[in-house]
């Protein structure tokens, strides 16, 4: 029987366990991903690197098994690793945007997967808290280098909406903390 449009389910397979990621996260999740994706895509205009948003499986150890995850945002530079609907290689940058259903997995299992795979920069973004954690791979382990919670009230001493965040390996790709959470109420 053919699959109907309404039958589509987004899933991930981690350590042989299938996780259903349907229904989709709320609209704030998509707004944040779109904001980050737009800035990264704009910064890659004259590059061979590509950025994907929620639409490419990442087979993080295809030589061992068929496990895969679907990062919210993934930047890849080795195009030879693109095969059908998946990437087999080491992304340069990954973002996971938290939702109530995936937060624990994003902060534990997936963080460990990306660390072991050698992904040099990993962001965990929370639309609900307007927060960003930025991890850099250093000596094979992730180190939390930056942690922000948006304060957009200019009258507050901790105002930081204009704080510029750049990608470590792509310093020309920049966005402000306010731009990440633009239109997220």
């Amino acid at each position: 029987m053919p699959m109907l449009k309404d039958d589509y389910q987004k899933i991930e397979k981690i350590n042989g366990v299938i996780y259903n990621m349907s229904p989709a996260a709320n609209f704030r999740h998509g707004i944040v991903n779109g904001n980050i994706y737009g800035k990264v895509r704009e910064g890659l205009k004259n590059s061979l690197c590509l950025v994907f948003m929620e639409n490419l499986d990442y087979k993080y150890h295809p030589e061992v098994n068929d496990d895969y995850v679907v990062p919210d945002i993934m930047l890849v530079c080795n195009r030879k690793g693109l095969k059908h609907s998946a990437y087999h290689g080491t992304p340069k940058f990954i973002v996971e945007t938290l939702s109530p259903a995936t937060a624990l997995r994003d902060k534990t299992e997936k963080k460990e997967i990306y660390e072991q795979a050698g992904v040099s920069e990993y962001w965990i973004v929370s639309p609900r808290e307007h927060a960003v954690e930025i991890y850099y791979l250093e000596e094979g382990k992730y180190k939390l280098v930056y942690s922000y919670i948006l304060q957009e009230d200019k009258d507050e001493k901790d105002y930081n909406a204009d704080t510029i965040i750049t990608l470590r390996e792509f310093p020309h790709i920049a966005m402000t903390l306010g731009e990440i959470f633009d239109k997220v109420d």
Side-chain angles (χ1 to χ4, degrees):
M1 175 178 241
M3 186 178 191
L4 300 175
K5 183 179 177 184
D6 293 339
D7 291 339
Y8 172 78
Q9 291 188 338
K10 188 173 166 184
I11 60 172
E12 293 181 316
K13 185 176 178 191
I14 301 172
N15 299 321
V17 177
I18 293 178
Y19 295 94
N20 186 344
M21 298 171 65
S22 296
N26 74 34
F27 68 92
R28 290 174 189 87
H29 187 274
I31 292 170
V32 166
N33 286 346
N35 291 344
I36 296 169
Y37 171 83
K39 289 294 187 178
V40 175
R41 186 169 185 259
E42 181 182 307
L44 293 175
K45 266 188 210 165
N46 299 316
S47 171
L48 293 176
C49 298
L50 299 167
V51 62
F52 296 89
M53 184 172 81
E54 302 176 13
N55 64 349
L56 188 68
D57 296 347
Y58 173 41
K59 295 199 175 200
Y60 50 94
H61 48 59
E63 68 287 344
V64 176
N65 59 39
D66 63 349
D67 287 352
Y68 64 93
V69 293
V70 185
D72 286 308
I73 297 172
M74 177 170 55
L75 190 158
V76 302
C77 293
N78 179 0
R79 290 180 178 220
K80 291 179 182 176
L82 293 169
K83 297 177 183 168
H84 307 289
S85 63
Y87 183 68
H88 306 241
T90 304
K92 296 288 186 181
F93 169 69
I94 287 181
V95 175
E96 290 293 354
T97 303
L98 301 180
S99 67
T102 65
L104 180 61
R105 204 164 44 252
D106 291 342
K107 290 182 161 214
T108 57
E109 290 175 279
K110 290 174 88 173
K111 182 177 165 220
E112 186 175 303
I113 286 166
Y114 302 147
E115 180 180 79
Q116 290 176 358
V119 177
S120 64
E121 185 169 351
Y122 178 47
W123 291 13
I124 298 175
V125 181
S126 174
R128 183 175 287 174
E129 284 80 26
H130 292 188
V132 181
E133 293 179 352
I134 299 174
Y135 295 86
Y136 292 159
L137 193 65
E138 295 182 3
E139 298 178 16
K141 292 286 185 193
Y142 275 138
K143 179 180 178 187
L144 178 61
V145 179
Y146 299 103
S147 182
Y148 302 101
I149 297 175
L150 177 65
Q151 173 51 267
E152 53 192 342
D153 182 346
K154 289 185 177 187
D155 294 331
E156 291 291 324
K157 73 174 182 127
D158 296 322
Y159 170 80
N160 62 2
D162 293 334
T163 299
I164 297 172
I165 301 172
T166 62
L167 275 63
R168 179 168 69 168
E169 290 189 35
F170 302 85
H172 65 282
I173 298 176
M175 62 200 82
T176 66
L177 194 56
E179 287 172 326
I180 292 172
F181 298 105
D182 185 39
K183 295 184 176 60
V184 176
D185 298 324

